[in-house]
Amino acid sequence: MEIIHITAECYPVAKAGGLGDVVGALPKYQCKAGHIAKVIMPMYRTAFLYASEWTVDFKGQANLGNWHFDFTIIKEKYNKLGFDLFLVDINGLLDRQKIYGYGDDTERFVAFQIAVVTWMKSWEHRPDIVHCHDYHTGLVPFFMQHCYDFQQLAGIKTIFTIHNAQYQGWMGWEKSRYIPRWDLWKRGMLEWAHSINPLASAVKCAYRVTTVSHSYLQELTSHSNGLEALFEYEKGKCVGILNGIDNEVWNPATDSYLSFHYTAKSVNAGKEQNKALLCSRFGLDPQKPLIVFIGRLVGEKAAELLPDAIAGAIHEMGHAASYLVLGSGEHDVEGRLTDMLMPFSGQFNAVIGYDEGLSHLMYAGADFLLMPSRVEPCGLNQLYAMRYGTVPIVRSTGGLRDTVSDMGDPEGFGIRFNQASVSDIIYSIGRAVHVYQSKDHLTRMRNWMMAIDHSWENTVEQFTRIYQA
Ligand code: ADP
């Protein structure tokens, strides 16, 4: 089958979170399984752009309301990522440093989607599947089915994968002028709660909708930022498919970011070496259990609980553990973590920012990874942690519930808690400190985790079945 993935992120081209990891890996493994998978995304000014060679694939023109724009689609020359990668260049609109966070994100992503369907329309053949990811590409199924200029694409089957339903891309009806000439009778296919809602539109228009874990799909019918009734109504076409992880990128035996490699057999020695490096870099005591947090410092991740939870754990248990945080997000949380650096020096450290290499070293060198998330559609961090023999401490929600078992259960390897609260986190840290004393138990848990297979091959098979259906 020929599958076109349309996305705002794709690792290593541009990544802000899990979406990037997934779209960087899924097409690669689909190609390995014999499909023709391609990715098209905006052309941002990232290191990958400058480090690669490109050919011009298509030049076109389109309108966003009454703004007429030219766009160019370039293709990476050497198939470096294991699939054909296309970037859409719209001068002044997409070619920026960051992926998101601009005042004109609505215009940027709507123009991107119009350029993509215009490009697909120009093809001499039709792909089998158009696979859209998250709200930034959520209008594509509507464009293909209900816009007069793209009627040739109406027969192609569309799949929409929800990596995060919190962000829906709402836009007021005054912006409906951006949508290429459309069948006005189909207004209901764009709308939710009196505005245009690209995520809701995709759920309505796509042939199948997938979410990145089974539990998250269930949760969407009760918590989905206003779309609960829609998910209840459309549940017949929704399926939860757990993300895989790219074992070629995330492998402690070969990881290019690590100086000390290890396998399940050498896990204790390997982790000790990586931990020593990490602790010396951040002024922490390698004898103590090292608990880390990696991720966006936002409410979904319950990041605002971290300062009080870490300070509270140090207050209650003294210097029983060391803590290291890597992340960026809400300024208030960043500020509170930075304020803790001096008073808790030697026990706590934090890096405010995004650092891919450091994240790999933290998965390898930490003993525990904390994820108190309020919402976690799948969660990749815990899967990476498990692959690196790092015990996940997670709140039971979404994909965390589906992938982490509690160490109190037979062959359980993680620490689970129910409430996103300071007291539940401190209690769980206490359990971590306790199990760290029992080296045999810790080693067994590390071995169980590292034996779990979360490879993409499995996931690719599930997507293939949906495409075939
Ligand atoms: P989300 O997509 O909601 O942010 P996921 O758990 O699905 O969360 O994916 C997070 C991905 O982003 C992981 O690969 C994680 O290692 C990475 N990541 C998040 N924040 C940072 C950071 N500050 N530095 C490096 N990597 C990060």
Side-chain angles (χ1 to χ4, degrees):
M1 274 182 279
E2 182 174 0
I3 307 135
I4 312 300
H5 291 277
I6 310 176
T7 179
E9 297 178 34
C10 172
Y11 177 83
V13 191
K15 163 179 162 182
L19 167 64
D21 284 336
V22 171
V23 184
L26 174 61
K28 178 167 92 179
Y29 288 92
Q30 286 177 327
C31 287
K32 285 188 183 186
H35 301 298
I36 303 165
K38 302 175 177 176
V39 170
I40 182 151
M41 65 185 293
M43 190 199 85
Y44 314 108
R45 297 201 170 280
T46 63
F48 186 92
L49 175 70
Y50 299 110
S52 310
E53 289 189 46
W54 305 89
T55 51
V56 172
D57 184 77
F58 182 75
K59 275 180 177 293
Q61 300 180 324
N63 293 311
L64 180 74
N66 48 22
W67 179 58
H68 184 73
F69 66 91
D70 294 319
F71 65 92
T72 306
I73 296 195
I74 55 175
K75 178 172 180 245
E76 194 273 315
K77 250 182 172 173
Y78 300 112
N79 201 274
K80 265 184 172 172
L81 304 183
F83 51 82
D84 285 343
L85 170 71
F86 298 88
L87 306 185
V88 181
D89 179 21
I90 305 177
N91 266 334
L93 209 57
L94 297 177
D95 52 345
R96 306 204 186 144
Q97 305 282 341
K98 287 191 303 174
I99 304 174
Y100 317 110
Y102 298 100
D104 57 353
D105 276 357
T106 299
E107 287 72 18
R108 297 173 71 225
F109 289 111
V110 176
F112 163 65
Q113 295 172 82
I114 294 171
V116 172
V117 280
T118 306
W119 170 66
M120 287 195 302
K121 190 178 119 175
S122 75
W123 292 17
E124 278 165 12
H125 73 286
R126 300 278 166 249
D128 297 293
I129 298 285
V130 168
H131 191 149
C132 302
H133 298 266
D134 273 358
Y135 88 81
H136 327 94
T137 63
L139 292 173
V140 168
F142 182 89
F143 289 173
M144 290 169 57
Q145 285 158 36
H146 304 304
C147 291
Y148 298 115
D149 295 342
F150 306 119
Q151 281 306 294
Q152 300 96 309
L153 306 177
I156 304 172
K157 305 295 179 265
T158 49
I159 307 285
F160 183 63
T161 293
I162 299 173
H163 301 257
N164 193 330
Q166 294 301 108
Y167 307 98
Q168 301 172 3
W170 311 267
M171 46 201 258
W173 272 104
E174 73 285 358
K175 296 199 172 171
S176 61
R177 64 180 188 279
Y178 293 160
I179 296 173
R181 292 185 317 115
W182 53 287
D183 177 354
L184 296 177
W185 287 101
K186 296 297 186 297
R187 181 185 165 105
M189 302 304 264
L190 287 172
E191 183 171 76
W192 193 259
H194 312 298
S195 60
I196 297 176
N197 185 320
L199 189 104
S201 173
V203 172
K204 294 177 191 189
C205 296
Y207 283 76
R208 286 282 189 283
V209 174
T210 73
T211 62
V212 290
S213 72
H214 182 69
S215 286
Y216 185 57
L217 176 57
Q218 312 266 301
E219 288 168 13
L220 287 177
T221 56
S222 53
H223 297 96
S224 51
N225 217 355
L227 299 186
E228 296 77 11
L230 178 64
F231 283 110
E232 181 61 35
Y233 183 75
E234 295 283 15
K235 66 184 174 194
K237 66 167 160 181
C238 298
V239 186
I241 300 181
L242 201 63
N243 284 334
I245 61 173
D246 191 339
N247 281 339
E248 289 174 5
V249 177
W250 298 94
N251 181 354
T254 54
D255 190 326
S256 58
Y257 288 109
L258 301 184
S259 309
F260 303 105
H261 293 125
Y262 59 94
T263 60
K265 273 197 183 134
S266 55
V267 56
N268 288 344
K271 288 190 75 66
E272 204 173 296
Q273 287 171 310
N274 286 293
K275 183 177 176 184
L277 192 66
L278 202 53
C279 288
S280 77
R281 191 162 148 195
F282 291 100
L284 302 169
D285 180 355
Q287 301 306 320
K288 301 281 176 346
L290 177 60
I291 302 175
V292 302
F293 173 95
I294 301 167
R296 293 179 294 123
L297 300 176
V298 297
E300 269 178 74
K301 306 283 176 194
E304 83 290 354
L305 301 178
L306 291 175
D308 286 347
I310 293 171
I314 293 174
H315 183 71
E316 274 186 28
M317 290 174 255
H319 192 175
S322 302
Y323 306 87
L324 181 61
V325 172
L326 167 64
S328 61
E330 286 165 13
H331 293 310
D332 172 55
V333 182
E334 292 181 355
R336 285 165 62 210
L337 289 168
T338 309
D339 289 345
M340 289 170 60
L341 292 176
M342 281 289 278
F344 295 108
S345 147
Q347 303 178 62
F348 163 78
N349 213 329
V351 176
I352 304 300
Y354 189 94
D355 187 334
E356 189 74 29
L358 176 58
S359 75
H360 285 243
L361 180 58
M362 287 169 72
Y363 290 118
D367 299 299
F368 300 92
L369 175 94
L370 177 62
M371 294 181 78
S373 309
R374 291 198 173 82
V375 183
E376 199 59 81
C378 171
L380 292 171
N381 298 20
Q382 83 281 12
L383 301 181
Y384 299 145
M386 285 149 63
R387 178 104 171 103
Y388 284 65
T390 302
V391 177
I393 306 176
V394 305
R395 186 171 99 82
S396 292
T397 185
L400 299 175
R401 186 202 303 270
D402 293 356
T403 55
V404 177
S405 56
D406 190 84
M407 62 184 186
D409 299 331
E411 303 223 342
F413 52 78
I415 297 176
R416 285 173 45 150
F417 56 95
N418 289 327
Q419 304 298 328
S421 69
V422 167
S423 55
D424 266 27
I425 298 174
I426 295 177
Y427 179 74
S428 303
I429 289 175
R431 292 183 71 201
V433 168
H434 184 73
V435 73
Y436 186 75
Q437 316 303 332
S438 164
K439 292 289 177 215
D440 285 351
H441 191 177
L442 190 63
T443 307
R444 278 201 303 278
M445 293 204 298
R446 286 173 171 173
N447 286 321
W448 288 331
M449 281 187 279
M450 290 181 77
I452 298 172
D453 179 11
H454 279 293
S455 59
W456 272 106
E457 281 80 359
N458 235 332
T459 308
V460 164
E461 182 53 40
Q462 295 180 59
F463 274 115
T464 304
R465 279 201 293 274
I466 289 183
Y467 295 159
Q468 275 162 349

